[in-house]
Amino acid sequence: MSKLSQPATTPGVNGISVIHTHQAHASGLQQVPQLVPAGPGGGGKAVPPSKQSKKSSPMDRNSDEYRQRRERNNMAVKKSRLKSKQKAQDTLQRVNQLKEENERLEAKIKLLTKELSVLKDLFLEHAHSLADNVQPISTETTTTNPDNTGQ
C-alpha cells in the first residue's frame, strides 16, 4: 500500500507553485511534483511571450502607426486572396487536363481492346485452318512402294 504524506509547496515561476508529495514504494520514498496555480482564481493558460510584451490598450485610429498597420494588413489580405484564387484556378485547370487525358486514354483502351479481339480471331482462324490441313498420322506403319508393283 502506498501512503501519502503532507504535501510540501515550493514557489514556482510565472505564478505557478510546485507541490511535492511523497509516496511510499518498495524502494523508498519518491517525490512526485504537481503543478498548481499559485494565485487565487488560478488555473489560467500560460501567456505566450509574444503576447506578454504587447499591451492590450486600444490604438488611436487616427495615428500614423495604426494606418500603416491597417494598410499592411489590407495588402496582405489582398495578396492572400489572390494567391488562393490563383491556386483554385490552377487546380481547376489541372482537373480539366486530367479529365481530357482520362477520356483520351479510355478511347485508346477501347481501340486496343478491339484490335486485340480482331487479332485473336485471326489467330484462331489461322490455327484452325492449319489444324484442318494437317493429315492425321496413322498408327499403321505399312508403306507401299510405287516402284515395286506386284512383287
Side-chain angles (χ1 to χ4, degrees):
M1 290 260 161
S2 65
K3 193 174 185 182
L4 293 176
S5 65
Q6 289 288 20
T9 306
T10 57
V13 186
N14 293 333
I16 296 179
S17 298
V18 178
I19 297 178
H20 297 279
T21 56
H22 298 280
Q23 293 180 338
H25 290 282
S27 62
L29 293 178
Q30 180 181 7
Q31 287 190 354
V32 179
Q34 297 175 346
L35 298 178
V36 295
K45 291 184 179 178
V47 179
S50 62
K51 299 285 182 179
Q52 285 178 349
S53 63
K54 293 182 180 178
K55 294 185 179 179
S56 61
S57 63
M59 292 187 80
D60 182 18
R61 290 184 180 236
N62 296 327
S63 70
D64 287 340
E65 182 184 358
Y66 177 79
R67 278 188 265 131
Q68 287 175 352
R69 284 187 181 191
R70 290 303 316 142
E71 189 175 320
R72 279 196 309 248
N73 180 262
N74 290 342
M75 290 175 66
V77 167
K78 245 185 228 181
K79 184 178 177 182
S80 175
R81 287 179 183 158
L82 284 173
K83 188 176 179 182
S84 176
K85 190 175 181 180
Q86 182 64 43
K87 187 175 180 181
Q89 287 175 348
D90 291 346
T91 302
L92 186 62
Q93 183 179 1
R94 180 73 173 139
V95 165
N96 289 333
Q97 286 175 346
L98 290 173
K99 281 182 181 179
E100 288 174 7
E101 183 180 0
N102 192 34
E103 289 172 3
R104 186 177 48 81
L105 290 173
E106 284 178 355
K108 188 174 184 178
I109 288 171
K110 285 181 183 177
L111 179 69
L112 290 173
T113 304
K114 284 182 183 178
E115 186 177 344
L116 177 64
S117 178
V118 167
L119 290 173
K120 268 187 190 177
D121 291 342
L122 285 173
F123 176 76
L124 290 175
E125 270 184 41
H126 183 68
H128 288 305
S129 69
L130 283 178
D132 291 343
N133 290 336
V134 173
Q135 296 292 327
I137 300 174
S138 64
T139 56
E140 296 178 22
T141 56
T142 58
T143 59
T144 59
N145 192 350
D147 293 335
N148 297 333
T149 56
Q151 265 196 357

